[in-house]
Amino acid sequence: MTSLFTQEIRLSKRHEEIVSQRLMLLQKMARKFGGQNTEKAPQVQAAETAFKRNRSLLKDIETAEKSLQTRIHPLPRPEVVSLETRYWASVEEYIPKWEQFLLGRAPYPVGVESQKEAEKNIENEAE
């Protein structure tokens, strides 16, 4: 029984040593990582500041780009807008006719009897 008691005391002392070593290691780790966190704080702050600055610069560049676009390409005159609108209306009107021709379901849509005649007419005009 005495041997068990002495063994219990020895194990208890060893346990205390291990716990104290663990505590010292945890404190060292806390100091080390705490120091790293305090070192990283200014870096994080600098990164956030740079991000905000870059976002502001990007907005300024986009604003300048829009301003230059309106100077370089002003809005078209009303006559041009009218012509463009009529052109696209004409295109939309002829799309179904050309679509059927291109799918091979209908004849050449331009009022010529065949595509070969149209090609001959184009060749004659080029000469």
Side-chain angles (χ1 to χ4, degrees), residues 20-88:
S20 67
Q21 287 177 349
R22 181 178 180 273
L23 181 61
M24 287 190 308
L25 289 173
L26 286 173
Q27 288 173 349
K28 284 182 184 178
M29 286 176 51
R31 279 185 296 230
K32 182 178 180 180
F33 290 121
Q36 287 180 351
N37 287 340
T38 57
E39 291 172 5
K40 287 185 181 181
Q43 293 173 346
V44 170
Q45 182 66 26
E48 288 175 358
T49 303
F51 178 76
K52 289 176 184 176
R53 182 192 67 234
N54 291 345
R55 187 174 39 201
S56 172
L57 289 172
L58 186 61
K59 285 181 183 177
D60 291 344
I61 289 171
E62 289 172 353
T63 303
E65 183 180 15
K66 287 178 185 175
S67 173
L68 289 173
Q69 286 295 333
T70 56
R71 287 184 193 171
I72 293 173
H73 302 291
L75 294 175
R77 296 188 318 227
E79 302 87 27
V80 174
V81 172
S82 173
L83 283 173
E84 186 177 339
T85 304
R86 291 194 330 237
Y87 168 78
W88 284 112

Side-chain angles (χ1 to χ4, degrees), residues 2 6 11 21 26 32 38 41 99-102 105 115 126:
T2 313
T6 55
L11 287 174
Q21 287 177 349
L26 286 173
K32 182 178 180 180
T38 57
E99 183 178 35
Q100 294 302 314
F101 166 72
L102 292 172
R105 297 179 190 157
Q115 183 176 354

Side-chain angles (χ1 to χ4, degrees), residues 9-27:
I9 291 173
R10 190 172 46 83
L11 287 174
S12 179
K13 287 181 182 180
R14 181 70 183 136
H15 180 265
E16 288 178 19
E17 289 173 7
I18 291 172
V19 169
S20 67
Q21 287 177 349
R22 181 178 180 273
L23 181 61
M24 287 190 308
L25 289 173
L26 286 173
Q27 288 173 349

